[in-house]
Amino acid sequence: GAGRLPDGRARYRSVYGKTYREVKEKLLIKKRDACLAGGKENMLPPGLTIRESVRLWMEENQMKWKESTLATYRSIAEKHILPVIGRQAVSGFDEEAWRAYFEGLRGQACAAQEKKLSETYLHQIFILLSQIFHFLGKKFRCNRPELPSVTSPAKAQIPQPPEGRELKKLEEHLIKSAQEGELTSLGVLLSGCSGIRIGELCALQWKDIDLEKESIIVRKTMQRIRTFSSADEAGMTGTRVIITAPKSRNSIREIPLPGFLVELLKTARKSGQISEEGYVLKGIRKEYTEPRTLQYRFQAILKKLGIPGFNFHMLRHIFATNCISQGFDMKTLSELLGHSNVGTTMRIYVHSDMERKKMLMSGYKMAA
């Protein structure tokens, strides 16, 4: 019903939808709007479930999210939220239920990897749920309780780079292979000498390289995301590769290149029929090489050289560390890395090792 007519009869309005779920959610919104128009507060629909809340939150926000962000949220929700507490009513999900849910997750092993969820991942679930409850509070003018943080993000571990002689060995191999026309080695060198992320490297096309200016322009990134059966129905179906704008506006940047790398790129450019639209790292079956394939190839190179395996992203850390040791100012380094501010660069990459501390402290005097 929608109030009364002047003669006292009930006034009715119709709501249409393709599915029962869609009609139910439209009814919830109509009832809320009617109550808000009447000046009522705390209009959380009776029986509203966490599953319905997740769907409402995603429907109203997905247009402002990147496709990869939406895929991440859906993946977390469908793996760890909806199967466990999806049917619970929001009104009954109090502090005790909140704590019990996270304690259950903390003891739960990840089926795919047969290991417990990390504290960092648990914190992501906590943040996502917190955002949903905040959304409900604003949408339905209801005062949701301040649910306590039951997780804390794990302290970021400082990645340990390979030893200097191993890096030298790797660099010599990459240069020799690149001179022989091996594009994977050229790509690894490009990342190690510019700090670009693996997704940015895989999305790099020859038109993004200006050999006259001796620089590259990072405009895109490539990543593999989860796919779902449909926008309305739950269920992950697999993954697919997407190419989008990079991580943030600051990630769109121009990076000057060292001379030796420019010469290697010029040689590669002249060596074959290469289109401006072609990807620098051309694939075997596809026009591009995707990040996980490049990771496999990189690990194969390390294994061949007898170098202990390390993640491709470590090349970015090595680049940043070398820049700092060579006296780059923080503003320049931050822009080269595509960070939004210098603070991010300082927090992630500026860590003084014990040898440097000893050197600085060796001549210290209180009355300097």
Side-chain angles (χ1 to χ4, degrees), residues 18 77 120 201 298 300:
K18 293 182 180 179
T120 299
L201 172 60
F298 179 60

Side-chain angles (χ1 to χ4, degrees), residues 32-239:
R32 180 212 61 174
D33 291 343
C35 291
L36 293 180
K40 295 183 180 179
E41 298 285 339
N42 195 20
M43 292 314 305
L44 186 71
L48 180 71
T49 65
I50 290 177
R51 178 179 294 276
E52 292 166 336
S53 302
V54 170
R55 190 161 183 264
L56 279 173
W57 175 65
M58 288 188 177
E59 283 185 348
E60 295 204 10
N61 290 282
Q62 61 183 339
M63 296 306 294
K64 64 184 181 184
W65 293 333
K66 292 175 67 173
E67 186 179 7
S68 56
T69 301
L70 176 60
T72 298
Y73 289 162
R74 286 198 67 176
S75 179
I76 291 175
E78 295 192 11
K79 281 182 180 179
H80 304 294
I81 297 177
L82 303 185
V84 185
I85 55 174
R87 294 183 178 181
Q88 289 192 30
V90 172
S91 58
F93 199 66
D94 55 15
E95 182 176 333
E96 183 179 347
W98 179 269
R99 289 186 183 279
Y101 167 65
F102 278 99
E103 287 306 311
L105 287 182
R106 185 169 278 109
Q108 170 187 315
C110 177
Q113 301 178 1
E114 296 183 354
K115 63 180 182 181
K116 292 184 178 181
L117 302 177
S118 69
E119 289 299 315
T120 299
Y121 193 73
L122 286 171
H123 188 70
Q124 289 181 329
I125 300 173
F126 166 77
I127 293 296
L128 192 149
L129 266 178
S130 298
Q131 289 180 357
I132 293 169
F133 279 105
H134 178 71
F135 160 79
L136 293 175
K138 291 183 66 176
K139 186 174 185 66
F140 296 108
R141 289 189 185 176
C142 58
N143 296 319
R144 291 296 306 155
E146 289 294 327
L147 297 171
S149 174
V150 290
T151 69
S152 58
K155 290 184 178 179
Q157 294 184 343
I158 302 171
Q160 296 301 312
E163 293 183 6
R165 65 176 182 274
E166 292 172 340
L167 271 181
K168 186 65 177 175
K169 183 179 180 181
L170 174 61
E171 183 182 52
E172 289 173 352
H173 170 82
L174 293 174
I175 291 174
K176 183 174 183 297
S177 296
Q179 289 171 338
E180 296 170 354
E182 214 283 293
L183 291 179
T184 296
S185 293
L186 179 60
V188 176
L189 273 174
L190 191 54
S191 184
C193 295
S194 68
I196 62 174
R197 303 174 178 94
I198 188 170
E200 295 169 341
L201 172 60
C202 290
L204 196 70
Q205 295 171 277
W206 283 104
K207 66 181 180 181
D208 301 319
I209 301 176
D210 191 326
L211 293 174
E212 293 298 320
K213 291 178 65 177
E214 301 187 348
S215 65
I216 60 172
I217 299 178
V218 177
R219 296 186 177 96
K220 305 175 294 297
T221 189
M222 182 187 297
Q223 64 186 121
R224 181 170 285 276
I225 65 169
R226 290 277 183 184
T227 55
F228 301 84
S229 52
S230 72
D232 294 325
E233 300 300 324
M236 292 174 282
T237 60
T239 61

